[in-house]
Amino acid sequence: FKVKNGILPTSYQEGLGTVVSGSVGYDLGSASYDSKSFTPSPTINSLGVAFKTDGTKMYTLDLNADVVAQYSLSTAWDVSTATSDSKSFTVTTQDADPYEVAFKPDGTKMYILGTDNDSLYQYTLSTAWDVSTASYDSVSFDFTSETVQPYGMDFSSDGTKLYIADYNAKQILQYSLSTAWDASTIAYASKSLDLTTEMGSEQLYSVAISSTGSNIFIGTHSSGSMYQYTLSTPYDVSTGAYASVSFDASSEEGSVTSIAFKPYGTKMYITGF
């Protein structure tokens, strides 16, 4: 088989996870802290995190400065080896409260989720994976018909679906893109997943979906808790059910503001305040 854009074809994926070199990916039940972290200097109020598909670049989103910053990892997927590229991009003109960042797998498009205007914004990078070459496409999508608190987002691996974490309503909302990775074609799919039973009094901050579309993961604002859900129909959140699997990240971070995975789900990365 062939690996495309760092994603194993769905036909070679199985159930709750993918077996890679003896490890089962996308399973919070097998998660353990690697004792590796990275803190930018000077410290930023980081919310979002994203990676280049080969794990050699990392991007953080600073809520206060409204900046996407770029780092190089001398060892792929090892955040403790991160160093600043002295490259960044400011999104203040579009939204003063950016909460999440994502990239198209080829690094030519970047997406910002902002809560000031409750919208998603699309950018083009003239040099792939170089945020200093980003420019706004004048393309956005307003979520206010469904939520006024879109705090987290993730795309399906093919860019035809978008998932939004609704902070106060404690639900995941699903959207369709009729043209992959083109935010101008976003439309609400009228599908959602209610998380209130598991979350109780906690607030929802982040969401990530597995490359198979079989699992969705959420992170909370106040307790450092993360929860795993199984989608009986891949990529369809309306078929989601709690997998009775959770992970307590509070020893490292009390607010899980963003979740990212290495391809195949054998490494997980979180950010917080």
Side-chain angles (χ1 to χ4, degrees):
F1 58 87
K2 295 181 180 179
V3 174
K4 182 178 180 182
N5 295 330
I7 303 299
L8 194 66
T10 302
S11 57
Y12 292 97
Q13 306 268 8
E14 292 188 87
L16 296 180
T18 303
V19 179
V20 180
S21 301
S23 300
V24 178
Y26 297 116
D27 181 9
L28 286 184
S30 66
S32 61
Y33 180 43
D34 285 345
S35 298
K36 293 185 177 183
S37 63
F38 176 72
T39 303
S41 181
T43 302
I44 64 174
N45 196 4
S46 178
L47 278 169
V49 65
F51 292 85
K52 185 180 178 182
T53 47
D54 66 0
T56 62
K57 296 287 184 183
M58 179 175 71
Y59 306 85
T60 62
L61 180 63
D62 187 343
L63 170 65
N64 287 347
D66 310 328
V67 165
V68 180
Q70 178 178 314
Y71 304 85
S72 288
L73 282 68
S74 57
T75 300
W77 301 107
D78 184 342
V79 297
S80 68
T81 70
T83 55
S84 174
D85 285 347
S86 298
K87 293 183 177 183
S88 62
F89 181 75
T90 302
V91 300
T92 309
T93 303
Q94 286 75 57
D95 203 292
D97 288 311
Y99 263 56
E100 187 63 279
V101 58
F103 289 85
K104 185 179 178 182
D106 66 2
T108 62
K109 294 289 183 183
M110 180 174 72
Y111 308 87
I112 297 294
L113 177 66
T115 61
D116 192 27
N117 299 315
D118 305 315
S119 295
L120 179 144
Y121 306 90
Q122 178 180 304
Y123 304 80
T124 292
L125 283 68
S126 58
T127 299
W129 301 110
D130 183 342
V131 295
S132 68
T133 69
S135 59
Y136 181 43
D137 287 346
S138 297
V139 172
S140 64
F141 181 81
D142 186 339
F143 295 104
T144 53
S145 293
E146 293 80 48
T147 175
V148 293
Q149 292 180 309
Y151 275 29
M153 72 171 174
D154 198 14
F155 287 90
S156 61
S157 55
D158 65 359
T160 64
K161 293 179 176 59
L162 171 68
Y163 304 89
I164 294 294
D166 187 334
Y167 176 77
N168 242 355
K170 302 172 190 177
Q171 61 181 346
I172 303 299
L173 304 171
Q174 181 174 323
Y175 296 78
S176 297
L177 287 76
S178 57
T179 300
W181 302 108
D182 183 348
S184 70
T185 69
I186 294 174
Y188 182 45
S190 298
K191 294 182 177 182
S192 62
L193 173 61
D194 182 74
L195 313 170
T196 52
T197 299
E198 292 74 49
M199 294 191 64
S201 60
E202 299 174 281
Q203 276 81 38
L204 177 63
Y205 238 130
S206 49
V207 60
I209 191 164
S210 66
S211 59
T212 64
S214 299
N215 294 97
I216 221 164
F217 306 85
I218 59 116
T220 65
H221 168 57
S222 54
S223 69
S225 297
M226 304 173 66
Y227 300 94
Q228 179 174 325
Y229 296 78
T230 301
L231 307 184
S232 57
T233 299
Y235 299 108
D236 185 342
V237 296
S238 67
T239 69
Y242 181 45
S244 298
V245 178
S246 62
F247 182 73
D248 183 357
S250 59
S251 294
E252 293 77 53
E253 180 54 61
S255 294
V256 183
T257 58
S258 187
I259 306 169
F261 285 94
K262 182 180 179 180
Y264 322 132
T266 56
K267 292 287 184 185
M268 178 174 71
Y269 306 85
I270 66 169
T271 58
F273 292 128

